Amino acid sequence: MLCPRRLKVSFRLFILLLPALVGCSTLIQRSEQGRWVEIGPASTLTLHQPVSIPQDRARAFISNGRISRSSANYRTSCALEVRELSRQGPQQVSAGRFQITRAQHYWTEVAANLHDWGVFIQVAELSNGGGQPLIQTGYRFWLERTETAVDIATKNPRKAPNVMHLTCLGILAEPAEAYPPTISELEQALGNLATLRL
């Protein structure tokens, strides 16, 4: 039988080593009642057609398989994001495959003026005056181009676009009701524009 002091030391050592034993992984649920899938090193994003990032913008939003002007707050949407802005016009992200080098859980708080009225009536007992924040939760996938394109005219490797990540978020809701999207919801958001293999 272990003495109490040794038991404390063993327990502390176990707590310190737990992250190394378990590892840090991001899990996504396949469907609402489906199994959980770990995002592994073979995960990829394949763009089936070029995506245009508007001038002076860092992202293009994708919702229901189409490029949209803004993120959809009432359904799952994704944003393909770049590091550098283009000041001369839209920049094109060519079709191709991207390796997912890292995945992380992500959330954002959304501020909006939902009432345009001059007078707003509120029952004092229902709020502290600050209101309930609305958030979107989801995933950020860090991307790296897997194949190197070659410029046909010069036969030199063409610089890969400065794609940084794909961020996919679920619906806008109060924190207790904001759930990250499932894989099937991500597939619906990307549609025929892209394929996410996790």
Side-chain angles (χ1 to χ4, degrees):
M1 182 169 172
L2 290 174
C3 70
R5 182 182 166 116
R6 261 196 193 167
L7 190 59
K8 282 184 180 179
V9 171
S10 298
F11 182 71
R12 287 182 182 161
L13 185 60
F14 175 75
I15 294 298
L16 289 173
L17 292 175
L18 188 61
L21 296 172
V22 174
C24 296
S25 62
T26 302
L27 300 174
I28 298 180
Q29 201 167 10
R30 179 148 308 276
S31 62
E32 197 171 317
Q33 302 299 323
R35 66 182 180 86
W36 291 85
V37 175
E38 182 177 352
I39 300 171
S43 300
T44 60
L45 171 75
T46 303
L47 290 178
H48 301 296
Q49 61 190 51
V51 173
S52 179
I53 308 288
Q55 179 179 337
D56 299 326
R57 301 284 180 177
R59 63 185 56 89
F61 295 104
I62 304 168
S63 180
N64 216 21
R66 297 183 181 156
I67 302 296
S68 71
R69 292 186 169 270
S70 62
S71 65
N73 294 330
Y74 58 93
R75 67 171 59 162
T76 298
S77 64
C78 297
L80 187 64
E81 303 171 2
V82 294
R83 285 184 177 82
E84 299 171 15
L85 302 179
S86 171
R87 302 290 186 193
Q88 287 74 41
Q91 59 179 302
Q92 294 290 319
V93 176
S94 59
R97 182 174 295 154
F98 295 86
Q99 181 75 33
I100 296 174
T101 59
R102 187 171 93 187
Q104 67 185 89
H105 293 282
Y106 185 81
W107 73 274
T108 184
E109 187 170 351
V110 179
N113 182 10
L114 300 176
H115 303 286
D116 254 352
W117 308 303
V119 178
F120 179 70
I121 299 171
Q122 181 175 16
V123 178
E125 297 165 3
L126 297 179
S127 171
N128 64 0
Q132 181 71 30
L134 297 176
I135 66 169
Q136 288 178 282
T137 61
Y139 306 97
R140 175 166 279 170
F141 304 103
W142 295 79
L143 303 174
E144 184 177 293
R145 181 73 81 166
T146 58
E147 68 266 352
T148 305
V150 175
D151 190 300
I152 296 171
T154 63
K155 299 195 178 182
N156 293 326
R158 196 176 351 162
K159 185 180 177 184
N162 62 342
V163 174
M164 191 164 45
H165 34 68
L166 178 76
T167 302
C168 296
L169 299 171
I171 63 167
L172 181 65
E174 292 182 1
E177 298 172 357
Y179 296 102
T182 63
I183 293 174
S184 60
E185 290 169 331
L186 295 179
E187 290 169 346
Q188 182 179 358
L190 295 172
N192 293 327
L193 188 66
T195 301
L196 195 59
R197 296 216 185 277
L198 304 175

